[in-house]
Amino acid sequence: MTELRNTNPTMDVVEALCLAVAEGSGQGVGVLVINYNTALQTLRCLESIQQSTLLPDWVLVLDNASAAADYHHLLEGARAPQVGSLRIYRSEQNLGFAEGSNVLIDLLLKQATCNYIMLLNNDAVAQKDMLALLRDALQAAGEGAGLAGGRMHKLANPAEVDTLGIALYSSLMPADRKTLDDLYVGPTGGCCMLSRALVEQLKAASGYCFDPRFFCYCEDTDLVMRAVLMGYRPVYLDQLLALHEGQASSGGGYNPFIAYHGLRNALWMHIKLVPSHLWWRYGVFWVLAHILMMGRHTLSGRFLLMLRVYRDALRRAPEFWAERKQLQVNFQPHSHALNNCVTKRFYRAGYLRLVLQGHAVFKHFFFGSKI
């Protein structure tokens, strides 16, 4: 992916296909999906949505500057929905997940009767009850919830957890929540439903729903933390909502692209959002986390990548610090809301062993593996 940011990307997004029937379901639910060179997965995702017990009124797809062959495969494979409409849009530049989602959200908000916005990764397969469960949970929780998510398991092994939402650890580092023992901050952007009221309040406070500067990775944590700091209480359903292939468009594995965007964006999020009292309580663990990350990536031959992460993050640090001060007006009444969302563990259980297994010297020393 090439990171490109357009100050007004909607101007460069055009509708390429509209498949519609006379009436929608009247449920007020819209589903948003982004495609980037993974038309096969996107079509599979769209098919699963049409098997839902609660059918959406609108399904919007953004093709994020995919190669011509993939884009045409998407158009040719699209099928008319059972109810409502399916619209496919095309951007000639890759807007990333954050900006691409913002474009689709703005398009969906033009529908006055849309009250619930479902974000689903294009390489996910929705379970039949996903939309009904999330919509019903938000309705039952009332306006104070704002967003909801649940279980995503691995498509290749449906018994294995992919994510149970977002967790925040005492190192102040966010990660996919893998166990119910870790505290729930909110849902991941790959499978979550937002209320219209939350989206409109986020846009009023920040000027955006997802922070477009993030491009991809950590943009969902940024959104969830802003929601919590504004007083919302995200809902978690301990029910299987979707099966997830994982990293279909980013090459798979923990590659330099993921490392760069994930770490840079986490730094920006920390500068912009973490309340001062959490810095006092957990700041030393945050410093230790960055020392360990520098060591890990240096051992992996990514020292220059880490320098680029910190260089690029610090270059825009004043911009995020200024925004932090502006956001305090909205956050002040709920500045301690994150206190009960921090898992006291330094980081996700089992992560250290996973990192060590990635280096031959540690595999040999700790696990008796042959080099």
Side-chain angles (χ1 to χ4, degrees):
M1 294 183 185
T2 301
E3 181 175 356
L4 294 171
R5 186 179 175 219
N6 190 331
T7 55
N8 192 4
T10 309
M11 298 295 293
D12 295 329
V13 172
V14 297
E15 184 177 300
L17 180 67
C18 176
L19 300 173
V21 295
E23 295 181 357
S25 65
Q27 300 296 326
V29 176
V31 181
L32 308 181
V33 179
I34 292 180
N35 179 70
Y36 177 72
N37 286 327
T38 46
L40 184 64
Q41 286 88 345
T42 299
L43 293 171
R44 181 184 65 195
C45 178
L46 295 177
E47 182 180 355
S48 72
I49 292 169
Q50 291 304 313
Q51 303 304 313
S52 298
T53 55
L54 185 157
L55 291 170
D57 292 282
W58 312 274
V59 178
L60 274 57
V61 180
L62 174 67
D63 182 78
N64 231 347
S66 299
D70 187 82
Y71 172 53
H72 291 303
H73 181 56
L74 174 65
L75 295 179
E76 292 167 2
R79 298 290 179 265
Q82 296 184 51
V83 297
S85 62
L86 166 65
R87 296 177 185 270
I88 297 178
Y89 297 87
R90 166 77 171 179
S91 172
E92 292 301 327
Q93 61 175 324
N94 188 349
L95 302 175
F97 182 84
E99 191 85 313
S101 295
N102 286 342
V103 168
L104 291 181
I105 287 170
D106 286 345
L107 289 167
L108 193 53
L109 289 178
K110 293 180 180 179
Q111 305 295 331
T113 56
C114 177
N115 294 314
Y116 301 99
I117 298 170
M118 179 74 204
L119 298 164
L120 187 63
N121 275 358
N122 77 311
D123 60 346
V125 176
Q127 300 297 283
K128 289 185 177 181
D129 292 332
M130 178 189 73
L131 293 176
L133 288 169
L134 291 173
R135 195 278 311 270
D136 292 348
L138 284 177
Q139 286 185 340
E143 295 183 359
L147 63 170
R151 284 182 172 267
M152 288 184 79
H153 285 196
K154 293 185 181 295
L155 181 62
N157 180 13
E160 183 180 353
V161 169
D162 182 71
T163 180
L164 305 178
I166 297 168
L168 186 67
Y169 298 91
S170 60
S171 58
L172 297 180
M173 300 303 293
D176 280 319
R177 181 172 173 251
K178 298 290 188 179
T179 171
L180 295 175
D181 293 334
D182 292 348
L183 298 177
Y184 177 71
V185 184
T188 66
C191 182
C192 72
M193 184 174 286
L194 313 176
S195 70
R196 185 187 187 102
L198 169 66
V199 169
E200 290 178 341
Q201 187 170 350
L202 286 170
K203 289 170 63 66
S206 305
Y208 50 78
C209 190
F210 289 101
D211 191 327
R213 295 164 293 190
F214 283 28
F215 192 72
C216 63
Y217 295 107
C218 204
E219 75 290 322
D220 50 357
T221 306
D222 177 85
L223 181 150
V224 165
M225 286 181 61
R226 278 182 284 129
V228 171
L229 287 168
M230 287 193 298
Y232 285 91
R233 302 178 304 279
V235 172
Y236 171 73
L237 298 176
D238 195 30
Q239 294 174 271
L240 181 61
L241 300 181
L243 299 175
H244 188 214
E245 181 177 337
Q247 299 178 354
S249 63
S250 60
Y254 190 65
N255 57 49
F257 179 87
I258 296 174
Y260 173 82
H261 287 85
L263 296 176
R264 182 201 65 178
N265 295 350
L267 281 164
W268 284 346
M269 181 196 70
H270 288 141
I271 294 169
K272 182 171 67 170
L273 298 179
V274 173
S276 57
H277 63 272
L278 288 186
W279 282 116
W280 282 108
R281 183 178 300 180
Y282 300 113
V284 64
F285 299 118
W286 179 84
V287 172
L288 178 59
H290 281 273
I291 292 172
L292 293 174
M293 279 191 294
M294 179 64 79
R296 173 195 176 184
H297 288 285
T298 298
L299 287 173
S300 301
R302 296 174 180 159
F303 178 72
L304 292 179
L305 174 67
M306 292 300 291
L307 289 183
R308 187 160 67 93
V309 167
Y310 290 108
R311 179 201 67 191
D312 292 351
L314 292 174
R315 277 179 176 174
R316 300 187 73 170
E319 176 183 337
F320 286 92
W321 182 257
E323 186 171 343
R324 174 191 179 90
K325 294 181 177 180
Q326 295 172 0
L327 289 171
Q328 293 307 307
V329 176
N330 299 285
F331 296 164
Q332 193 61 42
H334 310 283
S335 61
H336 290 271
L338 282 174
N339 289 14
N340 297 324
C341 298
V342 178
T343 299
K344 297 305 184 285
R345 185 183 295 117
F346 181 76
Y347 196 59
R348 194 171 63 205
Y351 180 76
L352 178 60
R353 183 181 180 89
L354 182 66
V355 170
L356 294 178
Q357 285 178 325
H359 299 281
V361 62
F362 293 117
K363 287 173 67 175
H364 177 72
F365 186 78
F366 289 104
F367 309 108
S369 303
K370 293 181 179 179
I371 297 178

